[in-house]
Amino acid sequence: MKNILLKLLVSFSFLLFGANAFAAGNLNLYNWSAYTPDELIEKFEAETGIKVTVDTYDSNETLLAKLQAGGSSTGYDLAVPSQHFVEIMIKEGLLEKVSGIQDMANYKYVAKQFQGPSFDPTAEYSTPWQLGSASFAYRADAYSGDGSSMMEFFKPSDEVCGKLAVFKSADEVVNMAHLALGSNFCSENPDEMQAVLDLLLEQKKCVTAYSSEGINDRLMSSEVIMHAHWDGYSQVGKWEGVDDLTYAYPKEGVVGWFDSLVIPKGAKNIDEAKTFMNFMMHPENMAILSNFASYANAIPESKKYLSEDMKNATNIQVPDGIPVVFGQACNENATSLVDKVWTKLMQ
Amino acid sequence: MKLKDKKLKFRHVWNFPGFGGWTAIFFGFLYIPILVLISYSFNAGKFAMIWTGFSFRWYTKLFSNENILDATFNSLIVACTAAPIATIIATFSALALVRGGNFKTKEFSNGLITLPLMVPEIVTAVATLIFFAFLGINFGLINVILAHSVFCIPFAYMPIKAALEAMDPNLELAARDLYSNKSSAFRTITLPLLTPGIISGFMLAFVISIDDFIITLMVAGGGATTLPVYIYSMVKMGVTPEVNAVSSLMLCFSILVVTGYWFLNRKNNN
Amino acid sequence: MNIQGENKTQNRVVALLPLWVVIGIFMIGPLLVMAVVSLMKSNVYGGVHFEFSLDGYKQILFDTNLFGEREFNPAYVIIIGRSFVLASLATIISFIIGFPAAYYISRQSKKVKDILIFLVTVPFWTNLLIRTFAWIIILGKGGVIESSFIFLGFINEGDTLNLMYTNSAILIGLVYSYLPLMVLPIYASMEKMDMRLLEAAADLYSSRISLIRKVILPLSMPGIIGGCILVFVPCLGAFIAPDLLGGGKKLLLGSLIQFQFASARNWSFGAAVAMVLLLLVILVLFFNARINKKHRDYETQG
């Protein structure tokens, strides 16, 4: 009996350590949910022989928390934070410096204005993923408004009240509130933040759920008829059957974001991660991603490979004159104010 | 009154009317959600809650979903490592605590064993997370295995303790008379008698490890996703019948293991 | 019976050493570290700064508002209160549902008893997350209850019962999660009931209600208390039911703690709340031990 136990233990240790050693290479990708097309992974695996596992998170904040808690290594080789969080992560020492990004074969495809962006000026930490905006989306058949003002989201009409859902995390929602109230992002002014809190508290009375996942399902089942949303994902919702799902571009503007691939500190498969970074900068591959997630990207030549659906995607086309205000990395004071507001909201 | 009549009288007086019906409702409450879950896994439509027809497609989709297979593999690795560790520790502890007589640290050791059961799981999860983060212990699946080994110990301990207590101590005494060597007495008499208890303990520990969610959620890093954690992310993302299918399979697996454990115990008791 | 032979103590130490090491390092260690973290200052981006600070605990009662002034903040006390109330309600409901069932099962023949009790325990060994998820399907919009109500004509198509994301939904989830834990100890107590006592009582008391009140309840009290503890304590720290069925809007202790380590990134506060939860549990268990002792004394005297 003891012998059998011993044998079992030994063989399982082999499985544990051996499985990794025998593979050509492994890659652990940590990405937003519903943001990684199977087709893309399969293509990458076929081309490189590297085995990819994908774990998901629902917000930048969750990602940041996970990286912070990870100590010397989270086990992830790649993550996809938004621009201002890349800044924070660099500052907090959570990212690996990646040598030779600009020498990567496909780097030439990146549009000039995105080479060395403000959050990563020396291009030592990130390569582009996608860009888009955050606002709200509604079922046009059930909602009589037209999404022309951000206040329709924060002070919903009676038909929306009780059928409204908001993102679970602070960052984008607080910024949307800033747009609605006309105050600046990263405000350190307590009065302005109090106004934000009051607005959110009033909205809470009409909110059914705070969640950043399963958005299209909630809209599809008509559990809610208005939801905080992202432009591309709302387009995907339309494709998947919510025909009247309309993304709002209110006059106050929408919150812009730019996601990038980064390598968390202590990543074990850095070479494989760099291979993937290079892979993603190729127009064909970026197009697969855009065709799936329906967002704009930083690789102009990928337009050649975009699907018809993408070319006709109405939800991601920004109308003239609507400002797209990108989120910024706030300093500690401002961040702590945002956290306070959100904590008070969630109580 | 004859005993048989007495028994009849008891059953008459002590069977409250309606309690039987209540018990039926009770079991209904316990099992209907499970049945709903399983039946909706055969839903042909995409949205879990809108029934459109019967289909196996979610099960076939399951088996081609690499992420689920990886997560299942991880769950199995963790359970197959943590359960034996917990069982071994529990066996030694049981031997010392049940057969060791009274000693100073007995109460303390008993307390230690039940500690993982008493502390709320969220507290254990969070404390373990902080602990691993601070010490910089980050070996992926091994973190999960360590955490699981700890809370599986009380579950492995319970059946082993029960088996030891039920064992007739005279058998061991007799064995020691027969065998000159204490350890052969142990090996040939005590251990075989104890084996069903040990296997029961192992099975309980195994099931508990496979099912664990909260601790694994907080402690697991990249590439260490187990099946329950993966199901959680699926549930959060949107409810397709695929989740039902995975859940149903997990349910059936747990039920099978527990049923096996139960039959094993019954045979042992009879 | 003792293990005869030389080095008895040594054997014992060797046998218990793995237990002490494993639980000492991986259970007590983490709890100690968590206690320490609760006394440190949170880093805005997650993790902690290594400086002593009572901010974590202060935040439970007091909060600095946006203007930097400290003011009493009832919110977390409300969350603790809400958790207490829901846990108590769940315990009471579990008792009401489970007690008659436990009694009925204990009155059956041995074979039937064994099978029924087995059926009671089976759900407990399945995944808690999955069992809670089943309720989303039942309670959700377009779910089983709504569909059947529409089918039976109780409500119109397109109307919703709004069962999800309510305190009631969380309550149902909690009761469902831990119901077997209420039934098993009560059943164990009732099984041990001496039939002769029941027979004597049957002669004395004419009404069934008196029988229950004066005989059955007192005799099964240890089991009832045990069951209540086994349900109350996990409900207090529950995380899954409030998270999935409550929509994240109604925070309870368990989800509050988890939230601090997920997007809220406030470790010292999370650790402080966890310590408070631990303290509450210890109090409840201590209380339980006192009652058990009193009951044992009572039994040995009477």
Side-chain angles (χ1 to χ4, degrees):
Chain A
M1 172 80 171
K2 257 196 250 176
N3 273 339
I4 301 178
L5 270 173
L6 202 61
K7 281 197 195 131
L8 275 173
L9 272 172
V10 170
S11 38
F12 277 115
S13 347
F14 268 134
L15 269 175
L16 200 62
F17 299 109
N20 274 340
F22 293 149
N26 283 319
L27 189 60
N28 282 327
L29 170 61
Y30 197 32
N31 201 353
W32 298 72
S33 20
Y35 211 20
T36 325
D38 290 335
E39 195 193 326
L40 191 69
I41 300 295
E42 280 160 22
K43 187 164 190 268
F44 180 74
E45 285 181 335
E47 275 178 27
T48 61
I50 300 176
K51 187 169 181 310
V52 182
T53 11
V54 182
D55 283 337
T56 61
Y57 52 88
D58 63 345
S59 68
N60 283 310
E61 285 91 335
T62 307
L63 170 62
L64 180 58
K66 199 79 188 209
L67 292 186
Q68 271 283 4
S72 57
S73 164
T74 53
Y76 294 117
D77 306 308
L78 281 172
V80 190
S82 302
Q83 76 287 1
H84 45 316
F85 276 83
V86 175
E87 262 191 74
I88 296 176
M89 289 172 189
I90 296 178
K91 197 172 85 126
E92 291 286 303
L94 296 170
L95 301 181
E96 291 278 352
K97 250 191 184 173
V98 187
S99 58
I101 289 186
Q102 286 160 326
D103 300 321
M104 286 185 186
N106 293 327
Y107 191 72
K108 57 181 190 271
Y109 292 114
V110 178
K112 281 286 177 295
Q113 73 258 42
F114 294 117
Q115 292 185 3
S118 58
F119 54 89
D120 181 19
T122 47
E124 283 180 296
Y125 291 97
S126 64
T127 60
W129 185 259
Q130 305 227 288
L131 62 144
S133 66
S135 172
F136 63 97
Y138 55 90
R139 303 278 311 257
D141 290 348
Y143 179 56
S144 53
D146 58 359
S148 54
S149 166
M150 196 56 97
M151 279 306 181
E152 292 175 47
F153 176 65
F154 286 106
K155 296 191 178 174
S157 63
D158 289 333
E159 60 185 341
V160 176
C161 197
K163 296 193 181 186
L164 173 67
V166 179
F167 288 146
K168 193 169 185 184
S169 49
D171 178 55
E172 281 159 332
V173 180
V174 168
N175 283 345
M176 281 164 70
H178 278 306
L179 286 176
L181 293 169
S183 44
N184 290 328
F185 293 178
C186 292
S187 166
E188 292 183 56
N189 182 333
D191 288 307
E192 283 182 356
M193 294 310 287
Q194 185 68 46
V196 167
L197 177 59
D198 292 334
L199 188 65
L200 290 174
L201 283 172
E202 219 196 294
Q203 183 198 37
K204 186 175 179 180
K205 297 179 198 151
C206 289
V207 176
T208 330
Y210 285 91
S211 165
S212 305
E213 286 173 308
I215 299 182
N216 286 331
D217 288 310
R218 230 167 261 124
L219 286 161
M220 172 92 178
S221 68
S222 297
E223 197 181 316
V224 299
I225 58 177
M226 188 183 281
H227 207 310
H229 222 322
W230 297 288
D231 57 337
Y233 197 39
S234 71
Q235 182 67 48
V236 171
K238 243 178 129 161
W239 290 340
E240 287 186 341
V242 195
D243 301 320
D244 60 332
L245 188 57
T246 315
Y247 186 73
Y249 283 97
K251 58 182 191 292
E252 298 94 339
V254 295
V255 179
W257 49 262
F258 185 97
D259 288 345
S260 313
L261 276 171
V262 296
I263 303 187
K265 205 159 197 79
K268 299 202 176 63
N269 301 302
I270 297 192
D271 288 327
E272 286 85 347
K274 287 165 79 169
T275 312
F276 191 78
M277 280 174 142
N278 184 42
F279 175 81
M280 280 318 297
M281 290 191 283
H282 192 280
E284 265 190 56
N285 302 325
M286 188 50 81
I288 296 179
L289 181 58
S290 284
N291 285 335
F292 168 80
S294 181
Y295 290 107
N297 61 54
I299 315 283
E301 282 204 39
S302 66
K303 286 203 180 52
K304 282 191 286 192
Y305 303 98
L306 290 183
S307 63
E308 275 306 308
D309 284 335
M310 264 305 276
K311 297 194 182 134
N312 297 329
T314 45
N315 280 355
I316 63 173
Q317 286 154 9
V318 185
D320 291 328
I322 305 291
V324 179
V325 191
F326 282 82
Q328 300 146 24
C330 306
N331 63 21
E332 281 208 24
N333 271 345
T335 309
S336 138
L337 279 175
V338 170
D339 283 342
K340 278 207 168 70
V341 165
W342 202 250
T343 312
K344 286 182 193 301
L345 178 66
M346 283 295 146
Q347 282 165 3
Chain B
M1 245 197 265
K2 285 198 289 211
L3 196 61
K4 181 159 164 273
D5 291 341
K6 275 191 179 167
K7 273 201 177 148
L8 276 173
K9 182 187 175 191
F10 292 151
R11 296 189 97 150
H12 181 65
V13 171
W14 292 96
N15 278 340
F16 294 96
F19 272 30
W22 188 266
T23 309
I25 297 181
F26 167 81
F27 278 109
F29 178 66
L30 265 189
Y31 279 93
I32 287 183
I34 296 182
L35 291 173
V36 165
L37 186 74
I38 298 182
S39 51
Y40 268 74
S41 68
F42 295 107
N43 183 6
K46 183 172 188 280
F47 290 98
M49 297 192 289
I50 306 171
W51 181 265
T52 50
F54 189 93
S55 156
F56 273 115
R57 68 184 255 226
W58 301 108
Y59 285 95
T60 39
K61 190 158 186 272
L62 250 187
F63 289 108
S64 55
N65 184 334
E66 256 197 59
N67 286 327
I68 291 189
L69 295 175
D70 281 340
T72 312
F73 191 58
N74 282 341
S75 278
L76 284 173
I77 294 185
V78 171
C80 290
T81 322
I85 295 179
T87 311
I88 294 175
I89 297 181
T91 310
F92 281 128
S93 311
L95 282 170
L97 288 170
V98 175
R99 287 269 186 273
N102 286 318
F103 50 96
K104 262 193 298 187
T105 46
K106 185 170 183 174
E107 279 292 319
F108 179 68
S109 302
N110 267 323
L112 270 188
I113 288 208
T114 48
L115 193 61
L117 286 176
M118 293 296 113
V119 177
E121 211 180 339
I122 186 73
V123 175
T124 315
V126 153
T128 314
L129 169 74
I130 300 179
F131 184 70
F132 282 158
F134 262 49
L135 295 188
I137 301 178
N138 240 304
F139 306 114
L141 217 48
I142 295 192
N143 279 25
V144 182
I145 293 178
L146 286 172
H148 278 224
S149 305
V150 173
F151 70 74
C152 285
I153 293 180
F155 290 98
Y157 179 72
M158 291 189 302
I160 299 180
K161 172 174 184 234
L164 256 183
E165 283 175 342
M167 226 167 35
D168 188 352
N170 291 323
L171 282 171
E172 278 183 73
L173 267 178
R176 222 157 276 135
D177 289 335
L178 288 172
Y179 297 94
S180 53
N181 188 341
K182 189 169 65 100
S183 76
S184 12
F186 179 74
R187 259 189 300 122
T188 39
I189 300 293
T190 316
L191 201 52
L193 280 178
L194 199 53
T195 301
I198 296 183
I199 296 186
S200 302
F202 172 79
M203 288 169 88
L204 280 189
F206 187 82
V207 160
I208 285 290
S209 167
I210 290 265
D211 281 342
D212 177 70
F213 165 66
I214 296 181
I215 295 185
T216 319
L217 177 71
M218 308 278 324
V219 166
T225 305
T226 59
L227 197 51
V229 174
Y230 185 75
I231 294 181
Y232 180 65
S233 66
M234 282 175 86
V235 170
K236 292 252 130 159
M237 259 201 26
V239 191
T240 62
E242 204 176 344
V243 189
N244 292 38
V246 166
S247 308
S248 305
L249 285 176
M250 264 207 90
L251 272 178
C252 291
F253 179 72
S254 301
I255 294 180
L256 276 170
V257 173
V258 176
T259 313
Y261 159 79
W262 186 66
F263 272 114
L264 193 71
N265 264 350
R266 284 189 81 197
K267 262 194 345 194
N268 204 33
N269 286 337
N270 300 338
Chain C
M1 217 209 73
N2 297 338
I3 297 179
Q4 308 286 343
E6 69 292 332
N7 299 327
K8 177 168 77 174
T9 321
Q10 205 183 57
N11 279 341
R12 214 165 42 218
V13 167
V14 165
L16 284 178
L17 201 60
L19 176 72
W20 288 18
V21 164
V22 168
I23 295 203
I25 298 187
F26 293 107
M27 185 92 206
I28 304 206
L31 289 175
L32 286 174
V33 171
M34 190 177 78
V36 168
V37 165
S38 70
L39 293 168
M40 296 213 256
K41 201 166 158 61
S42 266
N43 179 356
V44 151
Y45 299 121
V48 284
H49 293 301
F50 283 98
E51 40 182 277
F52 178 79
S53 157
L54 283 175
D55 278 348
Y57 288 99
K58 282 195 216 153
Q59 192 172 340
I60 299 179
L61 286 176
F62 300 98
D63 209 4
T64 39
N65 66 11
L66 299 169
F67 298 89
E69 302 151 354
R70 213 160 256 285
E71 54 187 17
F72 175 66
N73 176 17
Y76 297 115
V77 180
I78 294 180
I79 291 182
I80 296 179
R82 190 192 289 150
S83 306
F84 234 88
V85 167
L86 275 181
S88 309
L89 278 176
T91 308
I92 295 176
I93 296 179
S94 304
F95 173 73
I96 295 178
I97 298 183
F99 183 81
Y103 181 78
Y104 179 81
I105 296 177
S106 67
R107 297 298 112 209
Q108 304 307 307
S109 67
K110 176 116 176 54
K111 195 155 178 267
V112 177
K113 255 197 295 204
D114 275 349
I115 296 183
L116 286 182
I117 277 298
F118 170 67
L119 286 178
V120 170
T121 47
V122 159
F124 177 68
W125 297 111
T126 60
N127 191 303
L128 187 56
L129 172 68
I130 295 179
R131 281 186 284 144
T132 313
F133 166 60
W135 282 99
I136 299 184
I137 302 181
I138 299 180
L139 295 174
K141 183 161 183 5
V144 174
I145 293 189
E146 269 192 22
S147 308
S148 27
F149 272 36
I150 293 179
F151 182 69
L152 292 171
F154 289 155
I155 59 173
N156 296 323
E157 183 100 34
D159 281 346
T160 172
L161 284 173
N162 270 332
L163 292 167
M164 275 288 284
Y165 308 131
T166 57
N167 276 330
S168 320
I170 300 179
L171 199 56
I172 296 179
L174 287 177
V175 168
Y176 186 68
S177 308
Y178 301 109
L179 189 56
L181 291 181
M182 170 66 78
V183 173
L184 290 175
I186 299 184
Y187 166 77
S189 251
M190 287 186 170
E191 254 227 302
K192 285 193 233 156
M193 275 199 304
D194 194 338
M195 275 302 224
R196 293 168 298 176
L197 278 171
L198 299 191
E199 180 195 344
D203 292 332
L204 285 173
Y205 295 105
S206 49
S207 109
R208 284 204 162 98
I209 306 227
S210 317
L211 284 174
I212 299 184
R213 253 194 330 123
K214 297 218 159 57
V215 184
I216 303 182
L217 270 181
L219 280 181
S220 47
M221 197 48 80
I224 296 179
I225 295 185
C228 288
I229 301 272
L230 280 184
V231 171
F232 186 77
V233 167
C235 281
L236 204 56
F239 158 65
I240 297 183
D243 191 52
L244 287 184
L245 299 172
K249 259 184 89 171
K250 304 201 176 300
L251 281 180
L252 293 185
L253 274 176
S255 32
L256 176 67
I257 296 176
Q258 195 265 350
F259 186 52
Q260 304 311 314
F261 292 90
S263 30
R265 302 188 309 274
N266 193 342
W267 283 31
S268 63
F269 177 59
V273 178
M275 293 300 291
V276 167
L277 175 60
L278 197 55
L279 198 69
L280 286 174
V281 169
I282 292 178
L283 278 173
V284 171
L285 290 175
F286 182 66
F287 184 60
N288 175 46
R290 294 286 303 277
I291 293 192
N292 268 345
K293 185 164 179 302
K294 265 174 58 185
H295 197 275
R296 264 204 302 269
D297 293 341
Y298 175 71
E299 270 194 334
T300 49
Q301 285 167 13

